[in-house]
Amino acid sequence: MGKAQIVGWAHGQFGKSPLENTEQLMASVVAPAVAHAGIEVTDIDGIFVGVMNNGFSRQDFQAALVAMSDERLAHTPAVRFENACATGSAAIYSAMDFIEAGRGRIALVVGAEKMTALPTDQVGDILLSASYRAEEGDIPGGFAGQFGRIAQTYFQRYGDRSEELAMIAAKNHANGVSNPFAHMQKDFGFAFCNTVSEKNPYVAAPLRRTDCSLISDGAASIILADEEVAATLQRAIGFKARTQVNDIIALSHRDPLAFEGARRAWAASLEKAGLDIFDLSLVETHDCFTIAELIEYEAMGLSKPGEGHRVVREGITRKDGRLPVNPSGGLKAKGHPIGATGVSMHIMAAMQLAGQAGDMQVPDASLAGVFNMGGTAVANYVSILERVK
C-alpha cells in the first residue's frame, strides 16, 4: 500500500463566517473534498478531525459532528486531535500513520475553528492556554503578549528589527490579495505596517496590529489515500519527508529565540528528502506573528541566528525571490482559525504543486515546504511535498 498521498481537498473562506459553529463549517468542506478527490463518501475508512476548541464552543466531541452532515459516515471510525496551533497537522500526520500502518486506504482530514463569536479578550485567554500558564498565564495581551516578549528579547539581543517585521507583514498582505480564501485581501504597504497609528496600534509592544495574525473562522479538508489507490485517481501529492519535533513548553527552560524544535524538524525533513532549503520552490510557514516568521527563517537555515533581517532585506522570501515564503499570504493575511490552519497550509502547498494556485501560483513549483507549529515552537511539523501525479 505504501505511503499516504494527498488526492483531494476543499478550502472554505476564512474570516468572520455566517456559519454558526464547527459542525456547519466542517460540513461545508467535506462533500467538496470528496468530490475533488473523485471518490465516494463510502470509500472513507477513517475520519481525522482537528479542532482546538478549549472554550470557543460548549459543544465538543468534534469528531462525531462530521457524520451529522452525511449519515453514510455514521459508522466510520472518527477521532479528534488537539495540538494547539498545529492541531491540523496533527490530524494529517495521524491520518497518514493510519494509512501507512495498513489500517485503512482512504482517510478524511477536516480542520475547523469558530473563533469570532467570542469577545477578543476571551479569545486571547483561550489562546494563552497554548503557553505554560503556571509561569506565563499572567502575560498582558494574551498570546500576542507572549510573542511581544519574544520580540523584545530578540531586539535586545540582535537590534531593533521593527522595519523588517513591517516588511514581512507588507509582503504577506500583498500576497494575500491573490488568495480568494484569505480573511484579509488588502495590500497595506510597508509604510502603513511600519507606522504605529490609530488604525495600527501596538497590540503587545513592539508588535503592532499588522504584526499579528487575524482571529478567524474557517474550515479546510484533505483526502489522503495509499499509493495504490492514488494511482487510480486524478491527482496525487506525495510527502517526500515529514517530521514532528517537540520542545519543552515552558520558555524559562529554553532559549525562546532558538526555535530549536523547529530547527531540528527542518533539518530532519531536509535530510530525509536529500534536499537543501533552496531546492524548494516555496514554503508556507507559520507566521502567527511577524517575529515568528523572522525567527523561522533562521530555523529553516536561510540565515544564521540573529541575521534573519538579511533574508528580508535581500528579498529572498518575496514571491519573486529565491525562496517565496507564504505566497498564500500566510496566517497574517489568510487568517488563523486554529484547527484549520495546518490543513490549510498543506492545501496551499498542494495547490501550488498541482499548478492550481491561480494568481498565487509560483512558476514551475515542484517542491514545497510546510512548517506548522503549536505554541511558541513547542509542537513543530515540517512537511516536504512533491507532485506525484
Side-chain angles (χ1 to χ4, degrees):
M1 294 182 182
K3 301 293 185 181
Q5 299 175 347
I6 297 172
V7 296
W9 55 80
H11 199 297
Q13 180 70 51
F14 283 5
K16 187 173 176 58
S17 176
L19 299 177
E20 296 178 0
N21 49 45
T22 54
E23 179 183 342
Q24 293 179 11
L25 285 164
M26 289 190 288
S28 72
V29 295
V30 170
V34 169
H36 189 246
I39 63 169
E40 298 295 329
V41 73
T42 50
D43 294 328
I44 295 169
D45 298 313
I47 302 168
F48 298 78
V49 172
V51 177
M52 180 180 173
N53 195 3
N54 193 37
F56 286 125
S57 167
R58 290 185 65 192
Q59 174 67 59
D60 219 342
F61 202 4
Q62 300 283 335
L65 297 177
V66 177
M68 293 298 292
S69 66
D70 191 325
E71 292 192 4
R72 289 175 294 174
L73 293 170
H75 304 298
T76 304
V79 64
R80 177 270 195 93
F81 295 83
E82 181 279 312
N83 214 10
C85 303
T87 288
S89 290
I92 291 171
Y93 279 29
S94 293
M96 294 179 71
D97 291 343
F98 169 79
I99 290 171
E100 292 170 11
R103 294 178 55 213
R105 307 196 71 174
I106 298 178
L108 165 67
V109 179
V110 191
E113 212 73 61
K114 178 71 178 180
M115 302 174 70
T116 66
L118 297 180
T120 302
D121 60 340
Q122 285 185 244
V123 173
D125 186 63
I126 289 171
L127 296 180
L128 195 57
S129 295
S131 66
Y132 187 53
R133 279 193 180 272
E135 296 177 0
E136 302 155 11
D138 61 347
I139 295 176
F143 212 57
Q146 179 86 304
F147 274 87
R149 287 188 178 182
I150 289 173
Q152 290 174 1
T153 303
Y154 191 96
F155 289 4
Q156 289 166 2
R157 188 179 301 179
Y158 299 121
D160 188 329
R161 298 303 173 193
S162 296
E163 286 194 1
E164 285 82 2
L165 297 190
M167 292 172 73
I168 290 172
K171 167 183 72 73
N172 290 348
H173 277 297
N175 290 347
V177 172
S178 301
N179 187 346
F181 305 112
H183 185 159
M184 186 67 70
Q185 298 173 36
K186 183 176 180 180
D187 185 353
F188 288 98
F190 168 72
F192 179 83
C193 295
N194 194 44
T195 303
V196 177
S197 65
E198 184 179 346
K199 292 186 176 181
N200 190 30
Y202 282 123
V203 174
L207 300 181
R208 301 143 296 198
R209 182 175 290 164
T210 49
D211 292 307
C212 307
S213 58
L214 300 157
I215 294 170
S216 311
D217 307 326
S221 182
I222 280 175
I223 304 291
L224 293 160
D226 66 37
E227 289 174 304
E228 188 174 309
V229 171
T232 69
L233 301 175
Q234 183 177 346
R235 71 189 60 79
I237 306 297
F239 286 71
K240 200 168 180 66
R242 63 181 175 108
T243 307
Q244 179 191 355
V245 176
N246 267 50
D247 208 338
I248 195 161
I249 188 171
L251 289 179
S252 63
H253 290 237
R254 57 185 168 102
D255 181 349
L257 306 186
F259 277 32
E260 181 64 16
R263 188 194 67 77
R264 288 172 180 256
W266 268 111
S269 275
L270 289 169
E271 182 178 0
K272 288 176 189 175
L275 298 171
D276 177 83
I277 188 66
F278 284 113
D279 291 327
L280 302 180
S281 307
L282 67 126
V283 168
E284 287 288 334
T285 201
H286 195 103
D287 60 321
C288 50
F289 302 93
T290 53
I291 185 64
E293 180 166 331
L294 183 70
I295 298 174
E296 286 158 20
Y297 293 164
E298 300 168 9
M300 70 177 73
L302 293 179
S303 77
K304 296 177 181 178
E307 295 185 3
H309 64 282
R310 297 180 185 274
V311 177
V312 181
R313 292 286 181 182
E314 293 171 15
I316 290 171
T317 57
R318 292 173 57 88
K319 190 176 177 182
D320 59 356
R322 188 177 176 191
L323 180 64
V325 173
N326 288 334
S328 69
L331 284 57
K332 179 78 269 295
K334 178 160 55 75
H336 186 19
I338 305 298
T341 289
V343 182
S344 168
M345 296 173 82
H346 283 81
I347 291 174
M348 292 294 112
M351 288 173 66
Q352 292 280 356
L353 299 176
Q356 298 174 351
D359 291 339
M360 296 182 286
Q361 187 68 50
V362 173
D364 303 317
S366 60
L367 292 166
V370 175
F371 172 67
N372 181 206
M373 73 179 181
T376 48
V378 177
N380 303 277
Y381 293 79
V382 171
S383 302
I384 295 178
L385 306 181
E386 63 178 346
R387 182 173 182 173
V388 175
K389 180 181 179 182

